[in-house]
Amino acid sequence: MEPERKRSGSTLKKGRKRRLIPSKVVGAAEATRSHWDLEERQQPVAKKARLSTVLFAENCEVTHGQLCELLKYAVLGKSSFPKPSWCQLFHQNHLKNVVVFILQGLSQLHFYKFYLEFGFLRKAFKHKFRMPPPSSDFLADIIGLQKKQIIGNLPKAMEGSLPFASSKVSINLQKDPIIQKYGSKKVGLTRCLLTKEEMKTYHFPLQGFLDCENFVPTKCNGSVTDNSPLFGLDCEMCLTSKGRELTRISLVAEGGGCVMDELVKPDNKIVDYLTSFSGITKKILNPVTTKLKDVQRRLKILLPPDAVLVGHSLDLDLRALKMIHPYVIDTSLLYVREQGRRFKLKFLAKAILGKDIQCPDRLGHDATEDARTTLELARYFLKYGPKKIAELNLEALFSYQESQEPRNTAEGVQRLNTSVLECLDSVGQKLLFLTQEADASALSSSKNCQTIKCLSNKEVLEQARVEIPLFPFSIMQFSFEPFSPNLTEEMNKRIKIKWTEMSTVYAGPFNKNCNLSALKRLFKSFGPVQLMTLVLETHQPHLCIQYEVLEAAQLAIESLDGVLVEGSCIKVQRPVTELTLDCDTLVNELEQDSENRGTIYLSGVSETFKEHLLQHCSIFLGLEAMILPKDLKSGKQKGYCFLRFKTFGSAQRALNILTGKDWKLRGRHALTPRHLHAWLRGLPRESRLPGVRVIPPPSEQEAWQMLNVDHPKIAAWHWGRKIEKLYHNLCPGTLCLILLPGTRSTHGSLSGLGLMGIKDEEESTIPQTCVCESAHHLPGVIS
């Protein structure tokens, strides 16, 4: 954002760039970020601010702290702050204003429940992302005031081993996920073990699984009791030509003594030692002769029959060892969080034990230290019990620590603790905050904030039209009454059922002597199948196919409906229910979603597809990312992918090539944005149950009353239009964010959703015709 003339008055200094956490996509991520930097240097003189977001997180979730990163960078730029870790803002100094709309009380669930009503929002904003459920003050989190707000309640939060022992913060223990899972009384060792079902859910290696055929069992098949011995385990890995392989193993006995600490030479060629995390270098590993089979043999000798292994994300360690062990305690799951998220080991060590591990001044992690720490965490849990853990209020402590986490330098600490308000103040500017009287926030009382309190959402909107042009940074908060817990639960169920039914097709009729195997191969060629059943209730057989992704179902309908198959002209259609009546409209609108317009779906891709595509990247202009989903159980590629291009024109040309005679793939334009795909994948599949149905109102009069102006559907349409009018009045070059923070209550939590774009940029990226562009874009590959 262009500040007033004298920017040199800021005392904030440039710091080093944040290092990315290595993952399956580390090479592509670094390549893409290097390309971003190169592209920024090569831009022509006529510059405009613009955004690029190839999100590296598997679930596309952006934290409130990361949002704060972007907002601070938008104010002061790279001369004072490192670039955001999750997106790229090109030519920040050409930003004119920053405008943030907060729709308090709404969530990702609301957006997709009323997707058709939010017409402008889904079409105008190309960049969408999921957010975690909000804390007690969402606004303070994204502005960077969290530390100042809660520091009074946590005076010694990170100093002792019992950080919340003397805290007077009011906590509803019964709603704590640890209490909900374990109860409030102390538990024995056997209660902390993962069940076989849990091990299956969290992808631990198990006997009988296809991807574990060559794994070695530890031979620990004794009877486990509350007195069985605990062993802490931690492994370090490197990247080889075949994936991740073991380079170090540490095993610590319950007394704290290290019984095994070995370096291991991988069987395959090493392509990345991951030194910053493993501490392993080529020089360290060169003289090592110990191989994986030697480690497996030693472990089988060392571990007694009733040994319990303790680790953090222990499934990864066991997979690196290629071993199967039936009795495990995983501290990332023992200290359970909401919605499947996990605390990092470094955080738990400090919060629970009061000890610092994985220090930044040390080269890599110490596997023995990490193994010992997991053991201590398990023993602490057994000694003090779930109630004591719940009283520590780890979620609040995590938010506090996240807001204070130091960077690599002293200047970095100063930057991290700086709020958006202080950034604005350093360049002589103020923040405008428009909200309702009842919505108090720490932001309202800040000296560098011009707060205007209104009586209603309508008044907030009216004031915004007048005041926004006068301020470089504006926040408008609209408040909506949250749905009742029962209605929210019902909405959740209906959404799950709706997407399941939309991803299901019925095909037929077929001849009674048809080749069933050939038919199954045919329908599987459109994408991954969850369930395929033969329907014999009809005069002639039909097939019911439930696909994993919506694109596969749509592709099957478009390819086979009305086509002669096995001697019969078949019809391929979705089930007709009250939840799928508007399915054609919804599919069409999903295809027009600005985030989907540059993305294509392909089925039938082989394991060598990525290499083949990159070899011919010169013909796929504007390719930004390749998303290759993998089966979580087997680790194998699923046979379909998404390719994301810079423009709709590039995507259309690529689709024509890839579905042509040379590549012979099946494909179409994408329907599910990546954050939505991740969200739907996390929802358990629902079948229509007798108790989950849309009940018709008893009278026509009542039906019409449901569609009055207070109905949520009408409200979504109404406020979407209001925001659209306000958006069109913003000046070009305005960074605009629409935030649906999500909800958190004693009845449960809902994830938030963020939409963002730069006004001038977004209007130019909704093309009506194919647009030509240069071919220097380097693709990122996301597995």
Side-chain angles (χ1 to χ4, degrees):
M1 186 167 61
E2 186 67 37
E4 295 181 3
R5 287 188 178 273
K6 289 191 179 180
R7 188 181 286 234
S8 58
S10 172
T11 59
L12 301 171
K13 299 178 183 177
K14 185 175 179 180
R16 281 178 285 175
K17 204 179 208 178
R18 175 184 293 186
R19 291 181 301 185
L20 292 175
I21 297 174
S23 64
K24 295 176 184 176
V25 302
V26 66
E30 289 172 352
T32 306
R33 185 166 289 279
S34 299
H35 164 65
W36 282 343
D37 294 336
L38 177 64
E39 186 175 350
E40 187 165 33
R41 291 195 298 269
Q42 293 178 346
Q43 292 300 312
V45 177
K47 296 176 181 177
K48 289 184 179 179
R50 64 183 183 84
L51 283 164
S52 176
T53 54
V54 178
L55 302 177
F56 301 124
E58 176 60 29
N59 63 356
C60 306
E61 185 173 273
V62 175
T63 67
H64 305 144
Q66 288 174 320
L67 266 180
C68 188
E69 278 181 18
L70 173 64
L71 294 177
K72 289 191 284 190
Y73 183 78
V75 174
L76 290 183
K78 61 186 178 183
S79 62
S80 298
F81 284 94
K83 295 178 181 179
S85 60
W86 59 283
C87 69
Q88 184 79 335
L89 174 57
F90 292 110
H91 312 307
Q92 166 273 339
N93 59 327
H94 288 266
L95 273 183
K96 302 300 181 185
N97 297 304
V98 177
V99 176
V100 181
F101 295 88
I102 298 176
L103 310 185
Q104 197 69 37
L106 300 188
S107 67
Q108 183 169 241
L109 173 64
H110 296 84
F111 184 80
Y112 284 107
K113 173 64 179 174
F114 304 118
Y115 182 80
L116 294 178
E117 284 68 39
F118 284 118
F120 166 73
L121 298 185
R122 56 185 160 82
K123 289 180 180 178
F125 293 93
K126 182 179 179 181
H127 310 292
K128 303 181 184 74
F129 50 88
R130 180 181 174 182
M131 295 186 295
S135 66
S136 57
D137 196 337
F138 169 78
L139 193 53
D141 289 345
I142 66 168
I143 295 299
L145 297 178
Q146 183 70 4
K147 176 195 172 187
K148 296 171 178 58
Q149 182 190 351
I150 69 171
I151 195 166
N153 286 336
L154 306 175
K156 297 182 180 178
M158 303 307 292
E159 293 178 12
S161 60
L162 299 177
F164 272 156
S166 60
S167 174
K168 296 182 180 178
V169 178
S170 176
I171 309 166
N172 186 347
L173 293 182
Q174 295 309 311
K175 297 301 178 181
D176 189 285
I178 290 179
I179 297 294
Q180 290 180 342
K181 180 174 182 179
Y182 297 103
S184 57
K185 296 182 179 179
K186 292 183 181 181
V187 295
L189 183 153
T190 53
R191 179 66 180 85
C192 298
L193 296 175
L194 291 182
T195 65
K196 189 170 182 178
E197 277 304 309
E198 287 175 321
M199 292 178 74
K200 183 178 177 181
T201 299
Y202 295 111
H203 318 298
F204 277 76
L206 293 170
Q207 284 188 316
F209 278 51
L210 291 176
D211 62 326
C212 302
E213 287 179 349
N214 299 320
F215 282 41
V216 176
T218 57
K219 301 294 185 183
C220 295
N221 50 13
S223 179
V224 175
T225 68
D226 287 343
N227 295 319
S228 292
L230 300 175
F231 291 85
L233 175 69
D234 187 67
C235 295
E236 300 297 341
M237 282 80 84
C238 67
L239 284 177
T240 72
S241 57
K242 296 294 185 180
R244 288 179 180 261
E245 291 192 48
L246 184 71
T247 52
R248 183 183 174 186
I249 174 176
S250 288
L251 187 71
V252 177
E254 194 162 357
C258 183
V259 294
M260 186 177 182
D261 186 16
E262 288 280 351
L263 293 171
V264 186
K265 179 71 71 71
D267 293 327
N268 297 289
K269 182 182 177 182
I270 298 174
V271 295
D272 190 339
Y273 285 85
L274 303 179
T275 305
S276 59
F277 298 89
S278 68
I280 306 295
T281 63
K282 182 177 181 180
K283 183 178 180 180
I284 291 173
L285 214 53
N286 263 344
V288 175
T289 57
T290 303
K291 306 292 281 187
L292 178 62
K293 61 183 180 181
D294 301 318
V295 170
Q296 292 172 337
R297 187 163 48 247
R298 281 197 61 192
L299 277 175
K300 288 167 69 174
I301 296 171
L302 280 170
L303 295 175
D306 61 341
V308 175
L309 291 180
V310 182
H312 199 81
S313 296
L314 191 55
D315 56 308
L316 301 178
D317 298 313
L318 289 172
R319 286 190 177 277
L321 286 165
K322 294 190 176 180
M323 297 191 79
I324 296 171
H325 188 78
Y327 312 125
V328 297
I329 295 175
D330 192 321
T331 49
S332 73
L333 300 170
L334 184 67
Y335 290 85
V336 62
R337 298 182 71 186
E338 288 183 345
Q339 299 195 340
R341 297 195 303 270
R342 306 190 193 188
F343 291 116
K344 292 181 180 179
L345 180 61
K346 180 182 175 74
F347 165 75
L348 289 175
K350 186 67 172 173
I352 303 295
L353 307 172
K355 61 187 284 187
D356 292 301
I357 65 169
Q358 301 173 0
C359 298
D361 58 346
R362 187 187 302 161
L363 183 63
H365 297 176
D366 184 332
T368 302
E369 180 183 60
D370 288 357
R372 188 174 288 119
T373 300
T374 61
L375 199 54
E376 290 174 12
L377 285 169
R379 290 168 61 194
Y380 185 97
F381 193 97
L382 292 170
K383 181 178 179 179
Y384 291 102
K387 184 179 178 182
K388 186 70 174 178
I389 307 300
E391 287 172 348
L392 301 182
N393 200 355
L394 292 175
E395 283 292 348
L397 184 54
F398 178 75
S399 297
Y400 170 73
Q401 188 201 32
E402 192 178 44
S403 71
Q404 297 198 51
E405 186 175 307
R407 300 292 178 105
N408 291 334
T409 64
E411 291 84 359
V413 174
Q414 181 185 353
R415 284 195 303 275
L416 187 63
N417 290 335
T418 301
S419 69
V420 171
L421 287 172
E422 290 166 325
C423 292
L424 288 166
D425 187 52
S426 71
V427 289
Q429 296 175 343
K430 270 193 171 188
L431 182 147
L432 170 67
F433 179 41
L434 292 164
T435 186
Q436 292 192 43
E437 287 275 1
D439 297 329
S441 168
L443 184 61
S444 305
S445 56
S446 300
K447 65 177 183 177
N448 199 43
C449 175
Q450 178 67 47
T451 301
I452 300 177
K453 294 188 176 181
C454 306
L455 297 176
S456 64
N457 284 338
K458 184 178 179 181
E459 189 179 342
V460 170
L461 196 67
E462 290 170 351
Q463 289 286 342
R465 292 194 186 101
V466 177
E467 299 291 341
I468 283 179
L470 307 178
F471 289 83
F473 197 115
S474 307
I475 296 177
M476 278 139 296
Q477 183 166 265
F478 300 98
S479 296
F480 299 93
E481 191 67 31
F483 292 163
S484 68
N486 289 339
L487 180 56
T488 299
E489 184 179 357
E490 181 70 12
M491 282 173 59
N492 244 325
K493 288 179 180 178
R494 291 187 190 186
I495 284 284
K496 294 173 189 176
I497 294 171
K498 185 182 184 84
W499 284 94
T500 299
E501 291 181 348
M502 285 178 61
S503 302
T504 300
V505 298
Y506 284 88
F510 298 104
N511 293 326
K512 293 182 179 178
N513 59 349
C514 64
N515 186 334
L516 191 58
S517 297
L519 287 176
K520 287 183 176 180
R521 285 195 300 272
L522 174 63
F523 283 96
K524 285 181 178 179
S525 71
F526 299 105
V529 172
Q530 289 272 21
L531 185 66
M532 190 182 301
T533 55
L534 189 63
V535 180
L536 298 176
E537 297 295 322
T538 51
H539 176 64
Q540 289 180 280
H542 286 67
L543 279 177
C544 174
I545 307 101
Q546 182 180 318
Y547 286 100
E548 183 180 314
V549 292
L550 179 60
E551 287 84 356
Q554 188 65 23
L555 192 54
I557 293 171
E558 294 166 349
S559 303
L560 295 181
D561 188 34
V563 173
L564 195 67
V565 177
E566 290 281 315
S568 299
C569 184
I570 65 168
K571 186 168 184 61
V572 183
Q573 60 186 338
R574 291 185 174 87
V576 180
T577 72
E578 63 272 23
L579 295 179
T580 61
L581 287 174
D582 62 354
C583 186
D584 290 342
T585 303
L586 182 55
V587 167
N588 182 61
E589 293 301 322
L590 282 166
E591 194 168 76
Q592 297 303 313
D593 189 301
S594 60
E595 191 169 359
N596 291 331
R597 283 186 62 81
T599 305
I600 61 174
Y601 163 83
L602 296 170
S603 179
V605 302
S606 66
E607 290 188 357
T608 61
F609 172 75
K610 178 176 71 176
E611 288 73 19
H612 193 194
L613 185 76
L614 294 178
Q615 286 171 5
H616 297 81
C617 64
S618 60
I619 63 174
F620 299 108
L621 306 184
L623 178 61
E624 286 189 325
M626 184 190 310
I627 302 164
L628 295 163
K630 289 187 177 180
D631 186 278
L632 295 177
K633 187 168 70 173
S634 67
K636 295 181 179 178
Q637 194 174 307
K638 283 194 172 185
Y640 72 96
C641 75
F642 292 89
L643 300 183
R644 183 172 176 174
F645 292 84
K646 194 174 180 182
T647 69
F648 176 79
S650 295
Q652 183 62 59
R653 286 194 294 273
L655 184 61
N656 293 339
I657 294 170
L658 291 165
T659 56
K661 61 180 182 180
D662 293 329
W663 292 74
K664 297 179 182 178
L665 299 175
R666 296 187 186 273
R668 71 175 323 279
H669 288 282
L671 297 172
T672 45
R674 191 161 168 241
H675 69 273
L676 173 61
H677 186 66
W679 181 50
L680 293 173
R681 191 174 56 201
L683 296 176
R685 291 272 166 175
E686 289 269 354
S687 298
R688 185 174 289 270
L689 302 172
V692 183
R693 57 194 179 89
V694 179
I695 303 172
S699 68
E700 186 176 299
Q701 181 181 1
E702 185 175 341
W704 284 108
Q705 286 175 350
M706 288 179 66
L707 294 179
N708 62 27
V709 292
D710 295 324
H711 191 272
K713 183 179 291 188
I714 301 300
W717 176 85
H718 175 78
W719 283 101
R721 293 294 300 274
K722 295 288 186 185
I723 292 172
E724 177 182 5
K725 289 180 180 178
L726 191 55
Y727 177 84
H728 286 314
N729 288 332
L730 300 177
C731 66
T734 296
L735 173 62
C736 185
L737 288 90
I738 313 286
L739 304 179
L740 288 66
T743 61
R744 186 185 291 277
S745 71
T746 54
H747 302 283
S749 302
L750 294 176
S751 297
L753 182 72
L755 305 89
M756 69 176 182
I758 297 172
K759 183 170 184 267
D760 196 31
E761 172 207 36
E762 294 305 323
E763 289 174 350
S764 65
T765 55
I766 308 177
Q768 301 303 314
T769 57
C770 296
V771 181
C772 293
E773 76 250 299
S774 61
H776 63 269
H777 290 273
L778 182 69
V781 183
I782 303 173
S783 295

